[in-house]
């Protein structure tokens, strides 16, 4: 339930009662002094219609509006509760007339909504304009509607328009965490899969309601549009675009830009992965390193998140997730040739013993008591290097043993991790200021040709060593580098600055479009 303290304690909230009491006092004083009777019509913009104002009828019609409002939008429920708590509340009119702010709100929304791609009907502009015309022309009787019907309706629509705009523009018209985290189910547990793992600010309805009752409420309304660089870039593109399909795509990405999440901004040292672009950009103030990626397949989508890359491992073992063991490996239980060909091994989690694959059944593999891994080095599914960051999914950036996948046009084929086209170059980017010998140790460990004399000597010394070179196996990333996994189907290429359109690989655009359709001007 919304708290009404901010509304009840405001001067504007008390204005209708104060005005009524003042009128009574003036009338009594004039009678006592023998002056002609005080006529409220002389001091009201409603003229003689002010005498028709009836509190009982006003409340009755507002209650009718509340009862008839079946909207499921949370913002509308907040407005409904606002008035349900006090059916005598009025923030847009008094007996003296309708506040000038009503015309200001109408003019602002009429001017601004088209540039934001928002539907005027979703903000009740036709109804507000019509009722304001009735009020200004004092044509209540001529349109067959009493002042006790027009004012509550105008009041209700103005408040809904105010909250829909201020909350929607500041926080977004949909909740991405609620929407995306109910799309897919986890194959192993059947629960909801978390696809959107950014911390997103929840809409503050109470703040908008408090501002509604303040003298500077129009300033709050007029400064509600998003101010971030990406939103403004998309808005400018919208104004230049006439193609309906492209305009629709731009509007969806403008909505993404409204959500209050941590997002990549500027040219600071960071790694940005845009799933629809199937691209990674390693960005620093004076350059951008672009590369292709392979991301999660549709059933095993790469989650959207932000974190910090903390360390890298060279020639890591791959500990195969239980979901993959159940889905792909367990069927080969007892087949030692299958395990040998892929260099898989099986460990008893409790005892730590390495088991003979020939003696391990499919049911044992799916029971959870065993760990299946793949030895590091050539042929490992993670490739020769992996870049790790804290997250709730066990995903990371890594090399791959399937280099041919980067030649595909559509590269949604992983179990959720992100495979990178240029792993060594990414390592160099992350190890800011690393000396050449450190980089050569990484080259040697990845079976790349060294570039320093020391590296060449090291290679010669170990030429007869049958084991893979392990000049380096682990390295901290210090300072840590932010990583953002995002989903934008229209996004500026960080390398060129050109705004590009990308395919909706996971169908997220369709989801956003369907959810916020009433608000979009399509």
């Amino acid at each position: 339930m919304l708290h009404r303290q901010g509304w009840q304690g405001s001067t504007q909230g008390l204005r209708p009662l104060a005005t009524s009491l003042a009128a009574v006092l003036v009338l009594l004083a004039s009678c006592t002094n023998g002056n002609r009777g005080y006529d409220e019509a002389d001091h009201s913009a409603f003229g003689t219609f002010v005498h028709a104002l009836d509190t009982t009828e006003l409340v009755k019609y507002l209650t009718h509006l509340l009862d008839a409002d079946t909207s499921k939008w949370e913002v509308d429920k907040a407005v409904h509760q606002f008035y349900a708590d006090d059916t005598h509340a009025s923030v847009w009119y008094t007996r003296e007339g309708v506040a000038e702010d009503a015309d200001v709100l109408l003019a602002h929304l009429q001017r601004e909504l088209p540039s934001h791609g928002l539907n005027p009907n979703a903000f009740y502009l036709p109804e507000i304009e019509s009722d304001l015309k009735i009020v200004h022309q004092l044509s209540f009787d001529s349109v067959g509607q009493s002042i006790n019907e027009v004012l509550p309706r105008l009041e209700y629509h103005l408040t809904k328009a105010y909250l829909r705009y201020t909350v929607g523009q500041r926080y977004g018209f949909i909740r991405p965490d609620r929407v995306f985290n109910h799309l897919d189910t986890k194959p192993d547990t059947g629960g909801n899969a978390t696809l959107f793992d950014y911390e997103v600010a929840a809409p503050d309805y109470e703040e908008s309601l408090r501002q509604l009752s303040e003298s500077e409420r129009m300033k709050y309304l007029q400064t509600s549009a998003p101010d971030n660089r990406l939103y403004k870039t998309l808005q400018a593109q919208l104004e230049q675009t006439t193609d309906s399909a492209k305009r629709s795509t731009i509007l969806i990405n403008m909505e993404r830009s409204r959500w209050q999440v941590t997002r990549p901004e500027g040219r600071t040292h960071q790694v940005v992965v845009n799933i629809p672009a199937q691209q990674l950009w390693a960005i620093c103030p004076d350059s951008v390193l672009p590369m292709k990626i392979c991301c999660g397949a549709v059933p095993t989508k790469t989650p959207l998140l932000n974190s910090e890359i903390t360390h890298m491992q060279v020639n890591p073992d791959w500990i195969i997730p239980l979901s993959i063991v159940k889905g792909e490996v367990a069927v080969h239980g007892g087949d030692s040739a299958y395990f040998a060909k892929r260099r898989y091994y099986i460990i008893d989690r409790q005892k730590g013993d390495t088991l003979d694959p020939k003696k391990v059944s499919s049911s044992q593999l799916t029971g959870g008591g065993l760990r299946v891994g793949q030895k590091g080095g050539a042929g490992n599914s993670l490739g020769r290097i992996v870049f790790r960051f804290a997250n709730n999914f066990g995903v990371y950036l890594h090399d791959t043993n399937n280099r041919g996948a980067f030649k595909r046009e559509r590269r949604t084929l992983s179990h959720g991790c992100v495979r990178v086209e240029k792993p060594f170059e990414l390592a160099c980017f992350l190890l800011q200021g690393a000396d050449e010998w450190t980089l050569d140790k990484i080259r040697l460990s990845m079976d790349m040709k060294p570039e320093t004399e020391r590296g060449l000597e090291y290679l010669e010394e170990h030429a007869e060593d049958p084991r893979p070179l392990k000049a380096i196996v682990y390295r901290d990333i210090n300072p840590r580098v932010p990583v953002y996994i995002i989903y934008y189907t229209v996004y500026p290429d960080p390398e060129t600055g050109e705004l590009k359109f990308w395919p909706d690989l996971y169908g997220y655009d369709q989801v956003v479009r369907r959810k916020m359709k009433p608000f979009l001007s399509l």
Side-chain angles (χ1 to χ4, degrees):
M1 180 178 291
L2 290 167
H3 300 292
R4 298 297 302 278
Q5 183 176 358
W7 148 247
Q8 291 174 336
S10 70
T11 302
Q12 188 166 351
L14 297 173
R15 190 172 60 184
L17 178 59
T19 303
S20 299
L21 289 175
V24 172
L25 291 174
V26 170
L27 178 60
L28 291 174
S30 61
C31 291
T32 302
N33 296 332
N35 298 329
R36 75 175 180 86
Y38 172 79
D39 189 349
E40 194 177 4
D42 294 339
H43 300 273
S44 174
F46 299 134
T48 57
F49 284 101
V50 71
H51 299 306
L53 282 173
D54 185 312
T55 300
T56 301
E57 291 300 314
L58 290 169
V59 170
K60 180 179 178 181
Y61 195 74
L62 178 59
T63 303
H64 165 72
L65 293 173
L66 294 174
D67 292 341
D69 193 340
T70 59
S71 172
K72 295 181 180 180
W73 290 94
E74 287 190 7
V75 64
D76 292 342
K77 292 179 181 178
V79 175
H80 187 284
Q81 191 64 55
F82 177 75
Y83 286 108
D85 284 349
D86 182 2
T87 52
H88 291 78
S90 170
V91 294
W92 294 101
Y93 70 89
T94 70
R95 296 182 71 85
E96 296 174 358
V98 172
E100 293 181 3
D101 283 353
D103 291 286
V104 176
L105 180 146
L106 176 62
H108 181 80
L109 295 187
Q110 286 176 328
R111 181 176 65 253
E112 293 297 317
L113 290 182
S115 68
H116 295 284
L118 298 173
N119 183 359
N121 293 327
F123 299 87
Y124 304 98
L125 295 200
E127 292 88 344
I128 292 172
E129 184 176 20
S130 175
D131 282 342
L132 279 176
K133 183 177 180 181
I134 293 172
V135 169
H136 294 324
Q137 295 180 354
L138 297 180
S139 55
F140 299 105
D141 290 343
S142 62
V143 296
Q145 298 181 53
S146 77
I147 190 172
N148 295 307
E149 294 175 324
V150 174
L151 291 185
R153 184 174 62 224
L154 178 60
E155 167 85 18
Y156 198 46
H157 286 154
L158 284 167
T159 298
K160 291 188 77 171
Y162 186 92
L163 250 72
R164 282 188 170 192
Y165 185 80
T166 56
V167 173
Q169 287 286 61
R170 289 172 182 270
Y171 297 95
F173 290 91
I174 67 171
R175 290 285 298 274
D177 47 346
R178 295 184 179 179
V179 170
F180 292 110
N181 295 340
H182 289 82
L183 292 180
D184 292 359
T185 56
K186 297 179 181 179
D188 50 346
T189 66
N192 290 325
T194 301
L195 302 175
F196 187 94
D197 203 40
Y198 279 83
E199 185 176 344
V200 55
D204 192 340
Y205 305 114
E206 292 192 17
E207 172 62 18
S208 283
L209 286 171
R210 283 193 295 270
Q211 293 292 335
L212 179 65
S213 300
E214 298 294 333
S215 59
E216 296 292 320
R217 59 183 175 183
M218 285 301 106
K219 181 178 180 181
Y220 186 78
L221 175 89
Q222 294 160 355
T223 57
S224 291
D227 196 35
N228 65 75
R229 183 185 305 174
L230 178 57
Y231 186 90
K232 290 186 174 181
T233 300
L234 292 169
Q235 186 181 21
Q237 184 64 41
L238 180 69
E239 294 177 355
Q240 303 171 15
T241 304
T242 57
D243 180 83
S244 59
K246 286 188 174 181
R247 284 182 60 86
S248 176
T249 302
I250 294 170
L251 292 179
I252 299 307
N253 288 274
M254 288 172 68
E255 170 64 7
R256 292 187 173 107
S257 301
R258 293 185 182 102
W259 302 334
Q260 288 195 23
V261 298
T262 303
R263 57 170 54 90
E265 284 285 349
R267 296 295 289 269
T268 58
H269 214 80
Q270 59 190 322
V271 171
V272 178
V273 176
N274 188 12
I275 299 299
Q278 301 178 104
Q279 288 279 333
L280 177 151
W281 296 284
I283 303 170
C284 61
D286 56 359
S287 65
V288 176
L289 170 66
M291 65 187 74
K292 295 178 181 178
I293 63 161
C294 297
C295 56
V298 172
T300 53
K301 300 177 180 69
T302 297
L304 308 182
L305 58 87
N306 69 291
S307 186
E308 290 182 324
I309 301 175
T310 57
H311 62 280
M312 64 177 66
Q313 293 173 277
V314 186
N315 292 313
D317 282 14
W318 179 37
I319 307 304
I320 305 176
L322 184 58
S323 60
I324 299 178
V325 172
K326 290 180 176 180
E328 301 178 16
V329 179
V331 68
H332 300 284
D335 185 352
S336 58
Y338 170 86
F339 283 82
K341 181 179 180 181
R342 290 160 179 78
R343 299 169 62 231
Y344 287 174
Y345 56 85
I346 305 171
I347 301 290
D348 186 306
R349 291 180 182 272
Q350 186 173 4
K351 298 179 180 179
D353 296 338
T354 301
L355 307 181
D356 182 354
K358 187 184 299 185
K359 300 179 180 179
V360 179
S361 67
S362 295
S363 60
Q364 288 176 301
L365 288 170
T366 59
L370 305 179
R371 181 174 71 244
V372 181
Q374 183 183 38
K375 294 178 181 178
N380 185 280
S381 295
L382 300 183
R384 306 306 290 268
I385 190 168
V386 59
F387 309 93
R388 298 192 183 275
F389 47 90
N391 64 87
N392 297 317
F393 314 94
V395 300
Y396 31 80
L397 311 178
H398 67 87
D399 185 19
T400 179
N401 61 351
N402 180 16
R403 308 298 302 174
F406 293 110
K407 297 179 182 179
R408 300 184 184 184
E409 181 178 351
R410 181 174 179 128
R411 300 184 292 279
T412 51
L413 45 84
S414 80
H415 292 92
C417 288
V418 176
R419 307 174 190 178
V420 298
E421 180 188 23
K422 303 173 183 177
F424 176 75
E425 290 85 343
L426 182 56
C428 295
F429 170 85
L430 295 171
L431 296 174
Q432 305 172 46
D435 59 74
E436 281 301 316
W437 171 231
T438 297
L439 298 181
D440 247 3
K441 285 192 290 184
I442 297 175
R443 291 189 184 97
L444 288 163
S445 300
M446 294 178 66
D447 288 338
M448 298 171 63
K449 184 179 179 179
E451 295 186 359
T452 66
E453 287 296 326
R454 186 175 178 181
L456 292 170
E457 292 173 1
Y458 185 95
L459 183 61
E460 186 175 347
E461 291 171 5
H462 294 79
E464 302 301 323
D465 193 339
R467 299 170 298 177
L469 293 178
K470 292 187 177 180
I472 190 171
V473 296
Y474 179 96
R475 183 72 184 226
D476 280 325
I477 305 299
N478 190 17
R480 296 178 176 182
V481 177
V483 57
Y484 303 88
I485 301 179
I486 61 176
Y487 195 99
Y488 279 89
T489 49
V490 186
Y491 196 76
D493 186 325
E495 188 178 16
T496 64
E498 179 186 357
L499 198 64
K500 292 186 176 181
F501 287 77
W502 312 100
D504 184 18
L505 299 178
Y506 290 164
Y508 288 170
D509 277 14
Q510 300 175 40
V511 174
V512 176
R513 185 181 295 108
R514 183 172 65 252
K515 289 292 183 179
M516 65 175 302
K517 182 179 179 180
F519 290 98
L520 295 179
S521 180
L522 298 175

